[in-house]
């Protein structure tokens, strides 16, 4: 009778030990899966990278003139042209700059800060009129490269007064909602309460 009792107690203790070990392994596995999910999710959000919010078209007239001196400044050779600059500027957000933190226990991504809108690209198109080359001073490929860069700088200076940045800020919630949709694809939630976005604003954008 004593031997049977010892065997029975041994089986019970063995079952308890096995259940304890199984529970530990299962919790560890769940933590690893959740951590893996959050890593994939953050990478997926950042892979969206740059999000264009607004575009603006610009047209400017640029008078280009260059004077080159030679022969001990005795001679001057001037080249000039009328340059019409047409450009498309894209304003938006670099999502790689999002400040995101993963709460693995609650399967929640917390958005603590949102980047300011920035100029993502400027694509200038230059058209030359009334080109006049000097005797010792004519337009070269280097001049074209320089003019292209100057055109970009010219448009960049015009952007702050164009109102595009303010428009992009108003569209920021669209970017947040995009991130929320990405998060929801694997059953997580996005906490962006730190941005103080009202439910009224969200409802207006979702209509």
């Amino acid at each position: 009778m004593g031997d049977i009792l010892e065997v029975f107690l041994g089986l019970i203790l063995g079952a308890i030990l096995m259940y304890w070990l199984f529970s530990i392994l299962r919790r560890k596995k769940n933590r690893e899966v959740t951590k893996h999910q959050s890593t994939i999710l953050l990478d997926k959000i950042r892979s969206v990278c740059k999000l264009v919010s607004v575009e603006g078209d610009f047209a400017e007239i640029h008078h280009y003139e260059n004077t080159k001196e030679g022969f001990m400044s005795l001679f001057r050779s001037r080249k000039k042209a009328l340059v019409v600059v047409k450009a498309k500027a894209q304003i938006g957000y670099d999502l790689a700059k999002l400040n995101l933190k993963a709460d693995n226990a609650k399967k929640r991504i917390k958005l603590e800060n949102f980047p300011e809108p920035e100029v993502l690209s400027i694509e200038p198109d230059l058209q030359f009129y009334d080109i006049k080359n000097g005797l010792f001073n004519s337009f070269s490929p280097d001049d074209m490269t320089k003019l292209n860069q100057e055109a970009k700088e010219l448009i960049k200076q015009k952007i702050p007064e164009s109102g595009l940045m303010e428009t992009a800020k108003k569209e920021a919630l669209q970017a947040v909602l995009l991130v929320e949709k990405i998060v929801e694809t694997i059953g997580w939630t996005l906490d962006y309460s730190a941005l103080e976005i009202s439910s009224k604003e969200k409802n207006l954008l979702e209509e």
Side-chain angles (χ1 to χ4, degrees):
M1 184 71 179
D3 291 340
I4 295 175
L5 183 60
E6 288 178 1
V7 171
F8 182 70
L9 289 174
L11 289 173
I12 292 176
L13 290 174
I16 293 173
L17 180 62
M18 290 298 295
Y19 178 77
W20 179 67
L21 289 173
F22 177 75
S23 298
I24 292 176
L25 291 174
R26 186 174 60 181
R27 285 197 298 270
K28 183 178 179 182
K29 184 178 180 180
N30 288 339
R31 284 197 298 270
E32 290 176 351
V33 170
T34 303
K35 187 176 180 181
H36 184 61
Q37 279 185 330
S38 65
T39 302
I40 291 177
L41 189 57
L42 293 176
D43 289 341
K44 187 176 180 180
I45 292 171
R46 292 192 175 96
S47 69
V48 177
C49 198
K50 295 181 178 10
L51 177 68
V52 176
S53 179
V54 293
E55 288 186 344
D57 293 317
F58 294 83
E60 297 289 334
I61 297 177
H62 182 51
H63 295 273
Y64 177 81
E65 185 175 310
N66 176 268
T67 301
K68 186 176 182 181
E69 295 183 348
F71 299 103
M72 300 179 64
S73 300
L74 295 176
F75 298 97
R76 290 184 178 181
S77 183
R78 180 180 300 171
K79 61 185 175 184
K80 60 182 181 178
L82 180 67
V83 185
V84 176
V85 180
K86 294 181 179 180
K88 182 183 292 293
Q90 295 183 333
I91 314 297
Y93 299 91
D94 185 351
L95 297 186
K97 295 180 180 179
L98 287 174
N99 189 0
L100 299 168
K101 288 187 178 180
D103 186 342
N104 294 329
K106 297 181 179 179
K107 288 192 174 184
R108 180 176 63 187
I109 297 295
K110 190 172 184 180
L111 178 55
E112 296 185 338
N113 188 39
F114 199 79
E116 288 293 315
E118 58 186 84
V119 179
L120 299 180
S121 70
I122 298 177
E123 302 172 5
D125 177 25
L126 277 58
Q127 298 176 357
F128 293 84
Y129 299 93
D130 195 23
I131 299 175
K132 293 181 180 179
N133 290 310
L135 183 60
F136 306 106
N137 190 13
S138 59
F139 283 93
S140 66
D142 288 339
D143 291 324
M144 302 304 176
T145 301
K146 181 180 178 182
L147 281 170
N148 196 65
Q149 186 60 41
E150 288 180 358
K152 285 186 176 181
E153 290 299 322
L154 178 66
I155 299 303
K156 196 171 184 178
Q157 293 172 11
K158 297 289 182 180
I159 288 175
E161 61 190 54
S162 69
L164 288 176
M165 288 297 186
E166 287 71 19
T167 303
K169 287 181 179 179
K170 292 178 182 178
E171 297 292 328
L173 185 55
Q174 292 285 12
V176 175
L177 295 180
L178 172 63
V179 174
E180 184 177 41
K181 295 300 181 185
I182 295 174
V183 170
E184 289 175 350
T185 58
I186 63 170
W188 285 51
T189 59
L190 178 69
D191 178 6
Y192 50 87
S193 56
L195 301 185
E196 298 182 355
I197 297 174
S198 68
S199 58
K200 182 179 179 181
E201 288 176 310
K202 183 176 178 180
N203 291 335
L204 286 173
L205 283 172
E206 290 181 333
E207 288 179 356

